[in-house]
Amino acid sequence: MEGRKRLFTCLLFAAQLCLGSTQVLRIGGIFETRESELVSMDELAFKFAVNNINRNKTLMPNTTLTYDIQRINLFDGFEASRRVCDQLALGVVAVFGPSHSSSVSAVQSICNALEVPHIQTRWKHPSVNNKDTFFINLYPEYTAIARAILDVVTFFKWRKLTVVYEDSTGLMRMQELIKAPAKLNLKIKIRQLTPGNQDARPLLKELKKDKEFFIIFDCSYRMAAELLKQLSSMGMMTEYYHFFFTTLDLFALDLEPYRYSGVNMTGFRLLNIDDPWVASTMDKWAMERLQGPKQESGLMDGIMTTDAALMYDAVFMVTVASQRATQMTVSSLQCHRHKPWRFGPRFMNLFKEAQWDGLTGHIVLNKTDGLRRDFDLDIISLKEDGTARGVMEGGSRLTKRWIKIAMWNSYRGMNLMEKSNRDKNNNVTDSLANRTLIVTTILENPYVMYKKSDKELVGNDRFEGYCLDLLKELSNILGFTYEVRLVADGKYGAQNDKGEWNGMVRELIDHVADLAVAPLTITYVREKVIDFSKPFMTLGISILYRKPNGTNPGVFSFLNPLSPDIWMYVLLACTGVSCVLFVIARFTPYEWYNPHPCNPSSTLIQNNFTLLNSFWFGVGALMRQGSELMPKALSTRIVGGIWWFFTLIIISSYTANLAAFLTVERMDAPIDSADDLAKQTRIEYGAVRDGSTMTFFKKSKISTYEKMWAFMSSRKNTALVKNNREGITRVLTTDYAMLMESTSIEYISQRNCNLTQIGGLIDSKGYGVGTPIGSPYRDKVTIAILQLQEEGKLHMMKEKWWRGNGCPEEDNKEANALGVENIGGIFIVLAAGLVLSVFVAIGEFIYKARRNADIEECLSFNTMMEDLGISLQCYKGIRRRSRPHSGGRSACVFCQPKRSAKREGARRDSST
């Protein structure tokens, strides 16, 4: 068979020589075949490239490209050496293949000896001595790909990952990443797939058990297709995992079975599919492949792999180089003669100098080693919507789409695409469409309750409450469906001494549930192991206790309307006003009068405001009874008036507050705050076991709360309760105080009038929707919650479920005794009035003294002081009227010459 093909090729070559107008250029291809495929992908691409080049007469107008193909078995280096010698004997300008390293080395040694270019399109272990001068490889250089992998890990900000490689060459491609932990604080686990065994499920099971969510797979696309099937069977194709495949053929895999899995998958793509020429070439390839033998499973029908595209570009490179080659002849070479091809070095230089845009981007070879060091890689991420290029008989089909999120260049590094391109057609309203999420929750009124019904209810219809309404609203906004499940152990989630979690938090950590919609408090320790949305309800810890019983009034309860300070100040004010009144009444001359009005010449004058009478006047006014004493002078009337005003305010305030004390029943609560609880041990108190309230007291460093936690931890069996229902029952039946969230206390007190909240809030926190750490749902749920908050729906739902029948309205608040802050101003007014009266009394005294001076020429200071002394020393209220005193002119204080002149004139007139 091989002899017939070779004969047919020779006859074709002879016929073309006879035409004389066309030059024939032959290339050789050595391809390895597998048991599962009749023809290798490289061979198909090789033929496809030659045929396309020959059809395009503008590329080589006077040259026809022909080929000689040899097939060998895998790992057969001897057979590869023999076949390449046969091809060199026919006369070829370049040798393509094979792909396996052992065969490649055998062919390369022969090509180096005979100076014939050897073109490779697969990854090859780098040569140690760089003596492969006639070696060209279009596959991207391995150290550059290693840098690209490290840049991707840095871009995603991974801090913990696992590398799974297929063979030892994978470790070389991962060398930059393996050296990175020292620089980037990375934790890397390295695992190898079992050689020769495609069943990776034992390894995947270990990764799932160890919660390794960020995994890099270095394997062929065949193994990648098998891994995806096994990952799906292991339940690992979820949104919590992020897989990165280093194969350049990830885009070519058929991912239709995982269309709605939500898995995060990233990879490299070398093909420049955005170029119209590349897209057209891939369409031609697809049409030929669909008409040919069935392609290997795992790939999309008719898709061109990266190896096929590299082979196409390699053949195209011969065309580019031959366009610049002139007067070059191809001669038959014999392996045993060791006579090299004389045009080999020249043709090799044309290869290295050539630059062109191929299917795999812009191709430039390094002139030293013939490797491809300058290239671009598209970093692609898997999306659910849109269409992917995959041709069927009926046209394009809907499947998952690869979105180009960045471009990586071997020299310039990573360049992110515009956000509009990366997030195209990705919005919060449809990103969760067609997803069914598992929601864990806990029975807690009014958040989640069993629905009362005569019929047997199943599924989500079994429950109702605030959280169910919240779930319904989130579902309407985000478009997902959900399945509600009660947490298995009936706990919210707390950490034990071994660091292990329980409750809903544990189910999120183990990815048993996607969301936790319940009164789950956002705390620091929980935030370290799970993610929370923005809070949908804010609250704080408070104390639930029985309403205190009313107290019987005491014997001296009539003193309660005024504080003890006010009672003391009133007594002092009464004493002070009486003393001031006594002094001013003695000082002012207008309070002295003649006790015998029928005897005007009497020298005795009297004052009613003795010290005792002054006190009686004050007490009588205070008791609202008055007295027979009435002030006559302006100064004493000011004292009396201001005192009456003072007593009016005091008595009115007392009367008003006394009515409040008589109508309002005083509640004697044994505790008023958390401090009161901490200071006593008679009333037992506690919280829900393994809840956020318990964790708050357990972790608190405040002395009061540390003391309370010491009390609760010493009585764990009695102080800590299983749930809120048990705690409420204990509060009602025993002397027990329950520490719980204020929202729950508000709900309970609306329905049980015997319970109430004691004190204010101990802390401030919020309820949030819990998700596994790194969950893609967290941000979407947060946006939906903010939308509900802005629309007022969260408040409406709270009003719906918290509003109860209500308790009877209590008479506002307990009456409080009036203190200085309430009626202190009246004392200031009283003091101001007393000061004013003193000044008025002084004025009255001086004025009266001047009136008395009319009978004398001057007002004597000595006389004034004598009168003042007599007034103040006379305790009985009776004294003798003062007589005029004659004295020297020097003793006069106020002289009155005009009055003296008038008296002199009057005397003259009378004498006349």
Side-chain angles (χ1 to χ4, degrees), residues 164-166 191-195 197 200 203 217-219 223 227:
V164 179
Y165 66 96
E166 186 175 10
R191 307 294 298 271
Q192 184 180 9
L193 295 169
T194 304
N197 185 7
L203 174 59
F217 291 103
D218 184 272
C219 57
M223 189 64 201
L227 281 173

Side-chain angles (χ1 to χ4, degrees), residues 813-834:
K813 295 183 178 179
E814 181 181 323
N816 296 318
L818 297 177
V820 176
E821 64 275 5
N822 304 115
I823 55 176
I826 192 61
F827 291 92
I828 299 175
V829 174
L830 178 62
L834 295 179

Side-chain angles (χ1 to χ4, degrees), residues 80-106:
S81 301
R82 190 171 65 84
R83 295 298 177 91
V84 73
C85 288
D86 293 343
Q87 288 183 341
L88 293 175
L90 290 176
V92 293
V93 296
V95 175
F96 293 79
S99 59
H100 196 268
S101 57
S102 59
S103 302
V104 170
S105 299

Side-chain angles (χ1 to χ4, degrees), residues 251 273 279-280 282-283 300 303 387-391 396-397 399:
F251 75 97
I273 64 173
S280 175
M282 293 179 68
D283 287 340
M300 286 190 291
I303 194 71
T387 58
R389 183 170 299 278
V391 180
S396 298
R397 60 172 176 172
T399 182

Side-chain angles (χ1 to χ4, degrees), residues 572-586 611 614-615 639 834:
L572 292 176
C574 183
T575 303
V577 168
S578 300
C579 293
V580 171
L581 180 62
F582 168 73
V583 172
I584 291 177
R586 291 296 172 133
L611 187 60
S614 297
F615 274 103
V639 175
L834 295 179

Side-chain angles (χ1 to χ4, degrees), residues 497-530:
D497 297 335
K498 298 180 181 179
E500 299 174 347
W501 287 87
N502 57 21
M504 290 183 287
V505 176
R506 181 69 185 184
E507 292 192 353
L508 292 177
I509 294 175
D510 293 341
H511 294 85
V512 175
D514 300 307
L515 300 177
V517 183
L520 188 63
T521 307
I522 302 172
T523 63
Y524 168 72
V525 290
R526 286 175 178 170
E527 189 73 46
K528 292 194 295 185
V529 294
I530 62 174

Side-chain angles (χ1 to χ4, degrees), residues 258-269:
Y258 324 112
R259 182 173 183 178
Y260 297 111
S261 66
V263 67
N264 301 292
M265 199 179 302
T266 309
F268 291 137
R269 184 176 62 198

Side-chain angles (χ1 to χ4, degrees), residues 809-867:
E809 287 292 334
E810 298 181 0
D811 293 336
N812 215 350
K813 295 183 178 179
E814 181 181 323
N816 296 318
L818 297 177
V820 176
E821 64 275 5
N822 304 115
I823 55 176
I826 192 61
F827 291 92
I828 299 175
V829 174
L830 178 62
L834 295 179
V835 172
L836 177 62
S837 65
V838 170
F839 283 104
V840 173
I842 294 173
E844 289 176 337
F845 180 81
I846 296 174
Y847 177 76
K848 186 65 175 178
R850 292 186 64 181
R851 290 283 302 272
N852 291 338
D854 288 344
I855 60 175
E856 300 181 9
E857 294 181 355
C858 65
L859 177 61
S860 173
F861 178 77
N862 293 332
T863 303
M864 292 174 58
M865 296 306 296
E866 182 181 352
D867 290 343

